[in-house]
Amino acid sequence: MGKLIVPAHGSMDDWADLCRSGPLPDIKKPPSGCAIGGGSTVRREAGIPTDSFSLIVIGAIALVAFWLVFSLVRKAFGLVLLVALAIGAWVLWSNPQLLHSVTGAFLATP
């Protein structure tokens, strides 16, 4: 990124020309007299809000998202388990030799 050239006398017109010349460098506060908008960009650091209402809203949204994800994961796991049991039952039903070898281990008499 190019160097920021600061006008020597710091007039408002020079700052306006600097703002219109392209994106501003990464600064926290634009130069005085620089109208934000019109093609200029100022990067600001994102911070966590500190007021109580925002924190409560963020917490509520996080709680709902957490509940939604885990309820969906639980339901998906239950469906996958049911499908696996159904496929296993169908395989055993369609292959009597496999059924006999599986049940023979449990039903064998000494």
Side-chain angles (χ1 to χ4, degrees), residues 76-86:
F77 180 75
L79 287 175
V80 167
L81 185 62
L82 284 175
V83 168
L85 287 173

Side-chain angles (χ1 to χ4, degrees), residues 1-6 18 23-26:
M1 184 176 255
K3 292 183 179 180
L4 176 64
I5 301 171
V6 179
L18 179 64
L24 292 175
D26 193 10

